[in-house]
Amino acid sequence: MDALKKKVLVARRAPAAVIERLAAHFEIDAVPDDRVLPPDELRARLQGKAGAYITGTERITAELLDACPDLRAVCTMSVGYNHIDLAACTARGVLVTNTPDVLTETTADFGFALLMATARRMSEGERLLRDGGWKSWAWDFLAGAEVHGTTLGILGMGRIGQAIARRGRFGFGMQVVYHNRSRLAADTEAELGARYLAKDELLRQADHLVLVLPYSAEAHHCIGAAEIALMKPTATLVNIARGGIVDEDALAAALRKRLIAAAGLDVFEGEPRVNPALLTLSNVVLTPHIASATLPTRQAMALLAADNLVAALTGAVPPTPLNPQVLSA
Ligand code: 8YV
């Protein structure tokens, strides 16, 4: 053991290549299994550590930072960072990095797949078939919603939103409408053929609405009963962002009453627990937070997080910092 080596925690089972890369620079305490460390264990294992390699399941709070004064860098293998108190990290000079870009296209592929599965009732059809319920043909048997040529609504037009817009526009001839905190530059709008709308208008016009906005206090339950009431009764809703964006009780009630046609959800408030009201409905497609889950993409995310950690603790500029102001402070 090299006494001069900085110590880092790898808080989750990680690819061997990550451990190798980090081991060249640091003394590693690696959690070997796929469990989420309880907060007290996370705090205990972070003692004396300069860096933390985490995923979306480890919460980094101000309280935790105060209890871990040696911590200098938190590198998450995720693009979302709502599990990290970024302001508290910045105030304490702790560098935070995430893994954007490398998952954009893969996540957009999945968002579109979920849209298709939801609109075309694929899960419902498979369940029926497996349960022996496929008895005969009928003209309207499992008839779903049209996708091509319809209006694709996107709430949150960042990198992933734009990648979904391209699929809709160029692959399926859809009209793309969107709402975002800030409007896109005119040339980007023109390239995507995307029209900016106020949020309410987006809800009214979309045939298929995809949620891709980052989670924040402001975004909490920003799709609830009032918002769903604005949507077309034939519309579908897809969430690949964060569960807390949607009021799941309101969504389940709306799906039961067919106020909208169907929903596709990859993320849940309180996951891996799933709101039981959703589990009983036939018009919802449920997947276990796998939008970025292809091996090449997960490996790229994992290695980017490792590269960020190496750079952060060796005096280099990390590839994808979230609070680069810490570097110059
Ligand atoms: C991950 C994600 O599966 O990157 C994100 O923000 O939600 C997913 O790609 C997960 O958070 C892994 O840390």
Side-chain angles (χ1 to χ4, degrees):
M1 199 180 297
D2 184 341
L4 296 176
K5 272 187 172 176
K6 288 181 174 150
K7 295 181 183 157
V8 301
L9 174 70
V10 178
R12 276 287 197 146
R13 185 173 65 86
V18 164
I19 303 296
E20 259 168 52
R21 199 165 289 189
L22 295 177
H25 302 270
F26 310 120
E27 185 187 324
I28 302 176
D29 172 15
V31 175
D33 38 37
D34 289 314
R35 73 199 163 99
V36 184
L37 295 183
D40 52 345
E41 195 179 339
L42 180 61
R43 188 176 58 241
R45 288 182 80 151
L46 278 174
Q47 295 311 305
K49 305 285 168 30
Y53 172 105
I54 64 166
T55 69
T57 49
E58 288 71 47
R59 289 193 62 222
I60 305 294
T61 61
E63 194 191 6
L64 178 74
L65 293 169
D66 288 338
C68 307
D70 298 315
L71 199 58
R72 306 280 23 109
V74 171
C75 300
T76 184
M77 179 204 156
S78 62
V79 66
Y81 52 91
N82 55 292
H83 53 298
I84 302 171
D85 186 335
L86 185 61
C89 287
T90 306
R92 290 160 182 76
V94 175
L95 187 71
V96 182
T97 66
N98 67 340
T99 57
D101 304 319
V102 290
L103 49 47
T104 299
E105 299 300 328
T106 297
T107 304
D109 284 349
F110 188 90
F112 218 88
L114 193 52
L115 186 162
M116 295 289 290
T118 304
R120 299 302 306 273
R121 304 173 64 178
M122 290 173 80
S123 300
E124 194 183 344
E126 184 177 359
R127 272 195 306 274
L128 177 135
L129 180 153
R130 286 180 188 268
D131 293 347
W134 185 21
K135 303 293 184 205
S136 66
W137 183 93
W139 76 270
D140 56 353
F141 179 55
L142 283 169
E146 209 68 89
V147 175
H148 72 272
T150 61
T151 298
L152 170 62
I154 301 179
L155 186 58
M157 199 58 146
R159 304 173 188 86
I160 298 170
Q162 290 177 38
I164 290 172
R166 283 191 192 94
R167 282 157 178 74
R169 167 123 205 252
F170 302 115
F172 290 80
M174 299 171 92
Q175 288 86 52
V176 178
V177 288
Y178 78 98
H179 180 77
N180 197 44
R181 267 177 309 189
S182 46
R183 195 171 164 168
L184 296 179
D187 56 342
T188 312
E189 278 191 359
E191 183 231 322
L192 298 171
R195 209 154 43 86
Y196 178 84
L197 293 177
K199 184 180 160 197
D200 284 3
E201 205 42 45
L202 177 78
L203 293 164
R204 285 192 192 96
Q205 290 194 20
D207 291 311
H208 303 287
L209 179 68
V210 183
L211 309 179
V212 219
L213 64 163
Y215 183 68
S216 62
E218 189 195 353
H220 182 73
H221 287 191
C222 76
I223 299 294
E227 289 73 22
I228 295 169
L230 297 175
M231 295 176 71
K232 299 179 186 181
T234 49
T236 70
L237 172 72
V238 165
N239 187 7
I240 57 166
R242 286 293 180 265
I245 290 169
V246 174
D247 177 343
E248 290 172 349
D249 288 329
L251 176 63
L255 288 167
R256 194 175 309 110
K257 291 187 229 151
R258 308 278 160 165
L259 299 182
I260 58 171
L265 306 174
D266 185 50
V267 287
F268 304 88
E269 198 170 4
E271 59 190 43
R273 193 193 70 90
V274 176
N275 187 324
L278 294 168
L279 294 170
T280 60
L281 298 166
S282 59
N283 54 343
V284 57
V285 180
L286 306 168
T287 52
H289 200 151
I290 52 171
S292 68
T294 65
L295 266 184
T297 291
R298 285 286 170 81
Q299 274 156 353
M301 292 166 71
L303 287 173
L304 178 54
D307 286 346
N308 274 318
L309 188 52
V310 170
L313 296 181
T314 58
V317 177
T320 50
L322 282 165
N323 54 356
Q325 63 271 40
V326 165
L327 292 166
S328 46

